[in-house]
């Protein structure tokens, strides 16, 4: 009776199973590393506490403390998240604004614009939703949810790191919002890219309102009691809070 001699170079089923198992383990390890990387907090993000509320009301996002009485100054702030002068104004007046809001001395009504995305001739309608519109959509969505702390810190991020975040995609914005405390539903919606229809409508209304008030559209502008009080001299945009408080109490 002859015995079959097995070729030593022949790979058996056990070897194949082992390879498959090894590939599966490697895939799991890579997945875990990517998951942990995504869920690590992003360093350097704004992280300030606030003592005011946020409310989205039509085309206006309103920041106000419960301490704000009838004598509080109401400042309408027109800005575009792609506007470098808006970033200069926001950062220069950051500390003053936070203090005045928390103390109830100031109420800020943001009237967000998107005209720097490029509008159709003679119209507030943008040709294509770009950075201004997409970030407006995120900021407005946060405001609708009433998360004042997140809105403030997200607004700070957009203005403080404007040049960097202008290159971000929806995933990067979602990761940042998640690291700043945004809930899972909001983060998922941002990652999947928010519908910009509402953001466009908000910006269009603000465009028309500013055009009606000043006869032109540009940014930034601070309006108190119907008057433009935006500091005009070079290097003074950061004094906008002081200018608004002085005008409102005059």
């Amino acid at each position: 009776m002859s015995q079959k001699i097995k070729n030593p170079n022949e790979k058996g089923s056990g070897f194949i199973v082992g390879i498959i198992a090894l590939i599966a383990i490697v895939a799991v390890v890579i997945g875990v590393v990517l998951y942990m990387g995504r869920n690590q907090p992003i360093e350097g993000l704004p992280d300030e506490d606030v003592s005011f509320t946020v409310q989205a009301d039509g085309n206006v996002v309103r920041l106000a403390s419960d301490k704000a009485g009838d004598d509080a100054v109401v400042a309408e702030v027109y800005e575009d998240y792609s506007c470098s002068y808006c970033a200069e104004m926001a950062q220069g007046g950051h500390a003053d604004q936070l203090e005045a809001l928390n103390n109830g001395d100031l109420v800020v009504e943001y009237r967000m614009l998107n005209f720097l995305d490029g509008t159709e001739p003679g119209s507030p309608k943008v040709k294509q939703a770009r950075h201004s519109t997409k970030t407006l959509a995120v900021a407005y969505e946060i405001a609708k949810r009433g998360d004042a702390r997140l809105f403030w810190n997200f607004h700070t991020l957009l203005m403080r790191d404007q040049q960097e975040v202008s290159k971000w995609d929806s995933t990067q914005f979602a990761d940042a919002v998640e690291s700043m405390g945004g809930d899972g539903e909001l983060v998922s919606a941002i990652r999947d890219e928010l519908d910009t229809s509402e953001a466009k409508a908000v910006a269009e209304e603000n465009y028309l309102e500013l055009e009606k008030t000043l006869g032109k559209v540009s940014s930034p502008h601070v309006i108190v009691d119907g008057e433009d009080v935006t500091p005009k001299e070079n290097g003074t945009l950061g004094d906008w809070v002081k200018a608004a408080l002085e005008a409102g109490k005059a």
Side-chain angles (χ1 to χ4, degrees), residues 14 20 30 49 51 96 114 116 139 164 187 192 195 199 214 229 235:
I20 294 174
I30 292 174
D49 290 323
S51 298
D96 289 341
N114 68 347
L116 288 178
E164 178 184 348
V187 171
D192 293 338
D195 182 354
L214 299 181
V229 300

Side-chain angles (χ1 to χ4, degrees), residues 80-99:
D80 186 310
Y81 291 134
S82 296
C83 168
S84 61
Y85 292 111
C86 297
E88 179 185 338
M89 188 177 85
Q91 286 306 289
H94 181 90
D96 289 341
Q97 182 184 359
L98 182 59
E99 181 180 9

Side-chain angles (χ1 to χ4, degrees), residues 34-46:
L34 290 175
Y35 177 82
M36 291 181 66
R38 169 176 280 187
N39 287 274
Q40 288 297 315
I42 302 173
E43 295 183 359
L45 292 174

Side-chain angles (χ1 to χ4, degrees), residues 41-54:
I42 302 173
E43 295 183 359
L45 292 174
D47 186 27
E48 291 182 302
D49 290 323
V50 302
S51 298
F52 53 81
T53 62
V54 63

Side-chain angles (χ1 to χ4, degrees), residues 50-70:
V50 302
S51 298
F52 53 81
T53 62
V54 63
Q55 180 183 14
D57 183 12
N59 57 317
V60 175
V61 171
R62 190 172 191 268
L63 306 183
S65 167
D66 292 338
K67 299 177 184 177
D70 294 339

Side-chain angles (χ1 to χ4, degrees), residues 92-107:
H94 181 90
D96 289 341
Q97 182 184 359
L98 182 59
E99 181 180 9
L101 281 169
N102 284 337
N103 292 341
D105 296 325
L106 180 71
V107 172

